[in-house]
Amino acid sequence: MAWSTAHEKLLKKVNQEMDEYARSMWDLPGYTVFGKADEIASMGFCYNQLVGHLHDYPTTGVEWLLQYEKPLEAVRSHWMVEQDMDLEAEFDRVFHEWQYEEPESGMDAPGMS
């Protein structure tokens, strides 16, 4: 894709937004930041994906995203909605499947200590 002035504007806007977001996290008490771990991880992931692949996005998509006051927050919010899953059910599935696997090397299996 061709790099446009819209790409440049979005890159600048997203970088500024990420800087402001990071500074806002520094101002919070540790226990609050810990509670926002999923949000922080998704913000970092979306930032890295958006900036790392910005050259792949068509100008029309970039211009559409520029309409948001906080484009990175908009992407992160949409990403989190799309990632919504029943974590309890997923944990139960993983736990039950794990019981039938061979223990990993370096990990003591029950009764092997």
Side-chain angles (χ1 to χ4, degrees):
M1 297 285 153
W3 189 264
S4 68
T5 56
H7 286 82
E8 195 62 41
K9 286 179 185 178
L10 184 61
L11 179 62
K12 183 178 178 182
K13 195 170 187 176
V14 166
N15 280 329
Q16 182 179 357
E17 185 181 350
M18 188 61 177
D19 287 346
E20 290 170 4
Y21 179 79
R23 275 193 300 277
S24 74
M25 291 299 111
W26 282 109
D27 294 339
L28 297 174
Y31 63 87
T32 302
V33 173
F34 185 78
K36 292 180 171 274
D38 288 342
E39 175 189 311
I40 294 167
S42 66
M43 187 67 113
F45 175 77
C46 291
Y47 171 79
N48 289 332
Q49 291 299 305
L50 192 56
V51 170
H53 300 280
L54 188 57
H55 60 279
D56 295 331
Y57 304 135
T59 302
T60 54
V62 171
E63 289 170 342
W64 172 80
L65 203 48
L66 275 169
Q67 295 177 32
Y68 288 91
E69 182 180 336
K70 293 185 173 188
L72 181 57
E73 176 65 26
V75 169
R76 186 204 61 82
S77 294
H78 187 70
W79 173 253
M80 291 297 290
V81 167
E82 292 293 319
Q83 300 307 304
D84 190 24
M85 63 186 315
D86 183 355
L87 293 178
E88 254 183 75
E90 184 63 10
F91 181 86
D92 287 344
R93 182 194 65 76
V94 169
F95 181 77
H96 291 294
E97 288 178 7
W98 179 43
Q99 293 177 37
Y100 301 105
E101 294 178 6
E102 292 291 321
E104 293 181 25
S105 67
M107 291 183 64
D108 291 335
M112 297 185 75
S113 298

